[in-house]
Amino acid sequence: MEIEPPTMKLFKGVINSLRGEAGFRYIARAREIARAGFKVINFGVGQPDVPTFQHIVDEAKRALDGGFTGYTETSGIPELRAAIAEYLNDRYGSDVKADELIVTPGAKPAIFLAIASYIEPGDEVIVPEPSFPAYPEIVRFLGAKPVYVPLKWLGEDRGFELDLDGIERAVTNRTKMIVINNPHNPTGALFNSKQIDEVYRIAVENKLLILADEIYDNFLYDESRLRSFISFADWRDHLLYVNGFSKTFSMTGWRLGYLVARGEVASKITRLAVNIWSCATSFVQKAGIVALKGSWKPIEDMIRLFEKRRNLAIEKLREIKGVEVWPSKGTFYLFPYMGSILRSIGMSSEQFVEQLVERKHVIVLPGTVFPERAGAEFIRISFALNDGAIAEGIERLKSFIVELTEGKEEKLQASINS
Ligand SMILES: Cc1ncc(COP(=O)(O)O)c(C=O)c1O
């Protein structure tokens, strides 16, 4: 009889039930196709396509050469914490102090710390859907329940909104937290100040915490402004705030983020961090200071470049019959509505995306990876690609849709009208 090694039994049921970030699966498939010699166009990426800005790289090198390679304070080196507090306060008129934040190895660990420090089995956490998948997965890992409230899709002229009535109705006596990601992955929505103020009111009235993830706070278009949760005067009583360096400074692989919380909360949360990762990487923290305090010109140039790419992608997508696309106000994603096309060809968004990869070597993500049903009739397209790739990729998408809908034009038109 074969004996199962004991290590194979160590997986708790809950770990077995966790979903990975499904986006990574499609990206792995893209690599296989590229290895087979095909030119893949990857709209699945969740990072800027530019390398980390040179002055940041130079500072990391200096820190390494200078031997800054040991452990640091768990909550982060004081100069970096001061620089982060200054960044938030300058930008959002807040009054965050350096000892009210913890530097983390990326924003994801900050999300984990925030949720794990408050949520107990049986608790409920309200998550607008579609959503970045890490929030509900961590909630489930802790034995609690993510309660999804779908965003409202108001069509290609008005985009996406929070369903405030839905959020209010979802509150029960088990609800502990509302998660708001703004600007929003995957839809590119920027929830306006009225909506943010209302969420805040709901949280305050029901004694709930808000977990605010504003990691895309610099990716704003059409001169939009972000109403940051950190700018509320009494944020200390209601807020766990996450941000990071991955997107703004194109530092996804460096792993640097942070969590802001009231002083005694921050210091308690640090106890969990010290037992897991001790500290964020020392020389990366030095580079983080230069990222915040150095020139912002290259970052601003990148954002303006992304705005042009967004416009190009919108123009091209709108040439495809049946695709409804709203110009994102934030992030570097578009989330076009594909429902009319999918209905007319009888495909799910997953089937559509899988065939698009195999037949046209173009990667987009199905809305269902965020993480369940609300995005089922949408796909996510990242426009962090050069103009040539955007144009060619959308051309291939168009020809794919034309082939699929050939002979079904009437059905498609009926579907668009309905
Ligand atoms: C909304 C959101 N939060 C957090 C993260 C994770 O950031 P990091 O790579 O710093 O862990 C991402 C990355 O895709 C994201 O989209």
Side-chain angles (χ1 to χ4, degrees), residues 106-108 111 132 135 181 185 213 215-216 246-247 255:
K108 268 187 183 166
I111 294 168
F132 183 56
Y135 321 123
N181 168 218
N185 176 12
D213 176 350
I215 194 164
Y216 294 98
S246 295
K247 315 285 175 176
R255 313 309 300 136

Side-chain angles (χ1 to χ4, degrees), residues 121-363:
D123 286 345
E124 292 179 3
V125 176
I126 295 177
V127 183
E129 202 202 357
S131 150
F132 183 56
Y135 321 123
E137 291 309 288
I138 294 166
V139 169
R140 291 197 309 113
F141 175 68
L142 296 166
K145 184 176 158 198
V147 176
Y148 297 117
V149 177
L151 292 183
K152 287 192 203 161
W153 163 241
L154 305 172
E156 63 178 354
D157 296 330
R158 292 171 59 207
F160 299 87
E161 262 184 12
L162 290 168
D163 179 358
L164 295 164
D165 293 336
I167 290 177
E168 202 146 23
R169 273 198 308 275
V171 175
T172 71
N173 55 11
R174 296 191 166 176
T175 312
K176 275 254 182 85
M177 185 182 270
I178 307 176
V179 181
I180 302 289
N181 168 218
N182 197 28
H184 183 256
N185 176 12
T187 63
L190 177 68
F191 307 125
N192 64 28
S193 47
K194 225 166 119 195
Q195 292 229 306
I196 295 302
D197 290 354
E198 270 299 289
V199 173
Y200 199 74
R201 177 194 62 76
I202 295 170
V204 172
E205 280 181 16
N206 293 284
K207 296 189 170 46
L208 307 176
L209 285 164
I210 290 177
L211 170 56
D213 176 350
E214 296 183 357
I215 194 164
Y216 294 98
D217 67 341
N218 283 287
F219 294 86
L220 298 175
Y221 309 116
D222 306 325
E223 292 169 28
S224 305
R225 289 176 68 93
L226 170 70
R227 166 69 154 144
S228 173
F229 277 107
I230 203 70
S231 63
F232 285 93
D234 58 349
W235 66 266
R236 289 182 180 78
D237 295 333
H238 307 286
L239 190 65
L240 295 157
Y241 175 90
V242 172
N243 203 329
F245 293 73
S246 295
K247 315 285 175 176
T248 299
F249 304 106
S250 197
M251 291 174 71
T252 49
W254 296 62
R255 313 309 300 136
L256 195 64
Y258 53 94
L259 173 67
V260 183
R262 192 169 70 210
E264 80 261 26
V265 173
S267 69
K268 273 200 188 135
I269 290 180
T270 306
R271 288 189 220 157
L272 179 55
V274 73
N275 282 296
I276 309 178
W277 53 74
S278 297
C279 62
T281 307
S282 52
F283 48 90
V284 168
Q285 293 188 55
K286 286 276 194 195
I289 300 169
V290 166
L292 290 170
K293 295 181 88 95
S295 169
W296 277 74
K297 171 94 176 40
I299 292 110
E300 284 155 11
D301 289 347
M302 172 180 74
I303 309 289
R304 297 292 70 86
L305 176 69
F306 278 26
E307 184 161 1
K308 287 200 189 114
R309 290 170 170 181
R310 177 204 63 166
N311 296 345
L312 172 69
I314 292 284
E315 189 190 309
K316 291 264 162 212
L317 284 165
R318 285 189 167 166
E319 287 169 8
I320 308 176
K321 188 167 180 187
V323 173
E324 285 176 48
V325 61
W326 169 78
S328 305
K329 296 278 178 216
T331 73
F332 35 80
Y333 309 117
L334 294 169
F335 204 59
Y337 174 76
M338 306 292 289
S340 310
I341 292 168
L342 294 173
R343 273 196 306 279
S344 70
I345 57 177
M347 263 191 198
S348 68
S349 57
E350 289 96 335
Q351 289 166 330
F352 179 89
V353 164
E354 273 157 29
Q355 290 205 22
L356 179 65
V357 179
E358 300 305 325
R359 285 167 53 182
K360 299 287 177 183
H361 310 140
V362 171
I363 307 218

Side-chain angles (χ1 to χ4, degrees), residues 57-69 283 286:
V57 174
D58 289 344
E59 179 62 14
K61 286 185 187 162
R62 251 194 307 278
L64 276 169
D65 288 339
F68 194 72
T69 53
F283 48 90
K286 286 276 194 195

